[in-house]
Amino acid sequence: MIRTIPTSIERDIFIEAPIDIVWRTVTEPELIPLWFSDAVEIEVQPGGHGELVFTDRATTKQVTAPIVVQVVEAPTTFSFRWGHADGVEPTAANSMLVEFTLQPEGDKTRLQVVETGHVVMDWPDDQKATYAADHAHGWEVHLGRLQDHFASR
């Protein structure tokens, strides 16, 4: 049975911190490991290359995800592409796009994350559905960590 494949993976959260502080935490390489990947190297500029390193807690195996920054419009918009094959420049036809949109709400911040691109990948439908489900859960976990980081301050 084929599961429904959403065209985008979306999460919207409210963070108890000003937009400039949230922006730094989402984009600065030394702060990203507080909530997202275990390690990061990235040029935070359009066209900037980098990589995120994730450690599988069960196996302790590390997975490296190359990324290419698409948009940097401080303090409201940051996006990157990932999921492309090593050595291949990412495009809309061979990678996923992750977009962070920050909006001030008083002295707090609303953060929306939208990941798209999995439906155009040359994968079987079951793989696309699994990717969407895994990443929906992953964004929930990582954004929960981001909220917790600010809640504990």
Side-chain angles (χ1 to χ4, degrees), residues 49-108:
H49 286 73
E51 60 183 29
L52 304 170
V53 178
F54 297 91
T55 304
D56 181 316
R57 303 293 183 239
T59 65
T60 67
K61 179 180 178 184
Q62 289 190 328
V63 176
T64 300
I67 65 172
V68 176
V69 175
Q70 301 294 292
V71 176
V72 179
E73 295 174 359
T76 60
T77 309
F78 175 66
S79 67
F80 62 84
R81 288 200 168 276
W82 68 352
H84 52 286
D86 287 341
V88 174
E89 199 63 25
T91 67
N94 70 5
S95 65
M96 275 54 75
L97 177 65
V98 176
E99 300 172 286
F100 296 87
T101 304
L102 292 79
Q103 179 179 356
E105 292 190 11
D107 61 349
K108 297 171 180 45

Side-chain angles (χ1 to χ4, degrees), residues 100-132:
F100 296 87
T101 304
L102 292 79
Q103 179 179 356
E105 292 190 11
D107 61 349
K108 297 171 180 45
T109 305
R110 178 150 314 275
L111 172 66
Q112 181 182 42
V113 177
V114 178
E115 183 174 5
T116 56
H118 56 284
V119 294
V120 301
M121 299 300 283
D122 187 22
W123 299 339
D125 284 348
D126 276 352
Q127 185 177 351
K128 292 176 185 179
T130 297
Y131 182 94

Side-chain angles (χ1 to χ4, degrees), residues 29 31-41 51-55 57 63 65 82 142 145:
L31 299 177
I32 294 170
L34 294 174
W35 65 277
F36 191 39
S37 63
D38 297 308
V40 61
E41 287 186 27
E51 60 183 29
L52 304 170
V53 178
F54 297 91
T55 304
R57 303 293 183 239
V63 176
W82 68 352
H142 292 298
R145 287 181 189 155

